[in-house]
Amino acid sequence: ETGVTQSPTHLIKTRGQQVTLRCSSQSGHNTVSWYQQALGQGPQFIFQYYREEENGRGNFPPRFSGLQFPNYSSELNVNALELDDSALYLCASSPRVAGRQETQYFGPGTRLLVL
Amino acid sequence: DQQVKQNSPSLSVQEGRISILNCDYTNSMFDYFLWYKKYPAEGPTFLISISSIKDKNEDGRFTVFLNKSAKHLSLHIVPSQPGDSAVYFCAASNYPFGNEKLTFGTGTRLTIIP
C-alpha cells in the first residue's frame, strides 16, 4: 500500500504567476485536504474535497482553488501568486467510513518559493 | 488570531525521562484534539487523539491529558527515546469534523539527549 505522494517536491515561481500542485491519495481514501504551512507556523487548513466536491474551506481567498479526480487524486491551484504564498503545502488523505472521518495521512509536502 | 497555542518552541529532555509537551486553545467549540509528530522532509504523522468527553487517553508510551476548564492539553512521553526527537503539533477540531479540518498550533521541537 503506497502512502500519500505529492509533486513536485520543490518549486520556484515569481509573483503574479500561477502554480499547480499535485497529490496522490493513499489507496482507498476518498477525502483529501490541503494545508499551507508557512515558516515557523503550524499547518493551516485551505480546503477539503470529498468525492470530487469541495467540502469545506478555510480562510483562504478564491485564487486558491482545487480539484479532485475520480481516482481521488487532487490538485491545488494558486493564481496571481504573492510573496506570502511561499510555504510548504501539505496534502492529507483519509477514508470516510459510514459518515465518520478517519485519521488523516499527510504527504511530505511541496515547498513553494515565490520571488 | 491563534486559536491553538504551543508556547514552547523547543524542549530538550534526557533519554529515559518524561517529555511533557503543552498546548492551550481559546475556541470553546473545539471538542476533538490530536497530536501529530513531524520529522524533517516528511509530512505530519498522527500520534494520539482525545475527545472532549474524556480527560485522558493512553497509547503505549504516549498519554494525552485534557483539562477543559483550563482549555489546556498536554502530551506525555514516557520513557523518552532518541527516535522521539521531532516537531510535535497540537491540533483541534469541532463537531462534527473530528479528524478533519484541523486547526494546528505552531509546534514544539523536542530533542531527546542520549
Side-chain angles (χ1 to χ4, degrees):
Chain A
E1 180 181 283
T2 57
V4 179
T5 59
Q6 294 186 242
S7 62
T9 55
H10 295 82
L11 200 52
I12 300 175
K13 291 284 189 178
T14 55
R15 200 168 42 179
Q17 284 189 309
Q18 179 265 341
V19 69
T20 297
L21 309 181
R22 293 179 175 84
C23 172
S24 182
S25 302
Q26 190 159 320
S27 176
H29 288 189
N30 54 15
T31 304
V32 65
S33 300
W34 286 91
Y35 290 81
Q36 179 197 67
Q37 186 181 6
L39 200 61
Q41 302 296 313
Q44 269 197 286
F45 174 71
I46 303 175
F47 45 54
Q48 181 186 83
Y49 278 80
Y50 170 62
R51 291 186 174 177
E52 304 175 54
E53 300 271 339
E54 189 178 290
N55 182 45
R57 189 177 185 93
N59 190 25
F60 280 81
R63 60 189 185 84
F64 285 77
S65 63
L67 279 174
Q68 187 182 30
F69 300 100
N71 67 353
Y72 302 134
S73 65
S74 175
E75 285 181 356
L76 164 65
N77 299 290
V78 188
N79 293 322
L81 283 167
E82 300 176 1
L83 298 179
D84 283 350
D85 296 333
S86 296
L88 179 69
Y89 288 85
L90 294 162
C91 164
S93 75
S94 52
R96 181 170 290 176
V97 180
R100 174 185 158 76
Q101 194 67 39
E102 301 297 323
T103 300
Q104 295 188 73
Y105 293 85
F106 282 83
T110 292
R111 188 162 294 284
L112 172 65
L113 178 60
V114 182
L115 301 175
Chain B
D1 175 28
Q2 194 72 28
Q3 298 185 66
V4 177
K5 301 177 186 182
Q6 295 177 257
N7 292 318
S8 298
S10 63
L11 176 69
S12 294
V13 174
Q14 206 79 31
E15 181 179 358
R17 298 287 189 106
I18 182 171
S19 295
I20 300 176
L21 296 95
N22 293 303
C23 177
D24 297 294
Y25 61 96
T26 57
N27 187 341
S28 56
M29 299 300 290
F30 287 146
D31 65 353
Y32 194 76
F33 304 90
L34 307 91
W35 285 93
Y36 277 82
K37 171 178 169 179
K38 188 179 186 301
Y39 293 121
E42 294 183 13
T45 303
F46 170 75
L47 261 181
I48 192 169
S49 63
I50 188 166
S51 161
S52 62
I53 62 173
K54 295 186 174 182
D55 54 20
K56 177 182 172 181
N57 189 26
E58 196 171 347
D59 184 1
R61 296 187 298 116
F62 302 92
T63 303
V64 56
F65 295 91
L66 175 62
N67 182 334
K68 289 186 290 295
S69 60
K71 294 193 178 69
H72 177 84
L73 63 155
S74 61
L75 174 69
H76 293 211
I77 307 174
V78 182
S80 300
Q81 299 174 353
D84 296 331
S85 294
V87 177
Y88 288 77
F89 290 100
C90 169
S93 70
N94 51 283
Y95 181 84
F97 300 118
N99 284 291
E100 62 187 87
K101 298 169 189 170
L102 303 175
T103 300
F104 282 85
T106 52
T108 295
R109 181 177 301 278
L110 175 66
T111 302
I112 304 302
I113 305 163

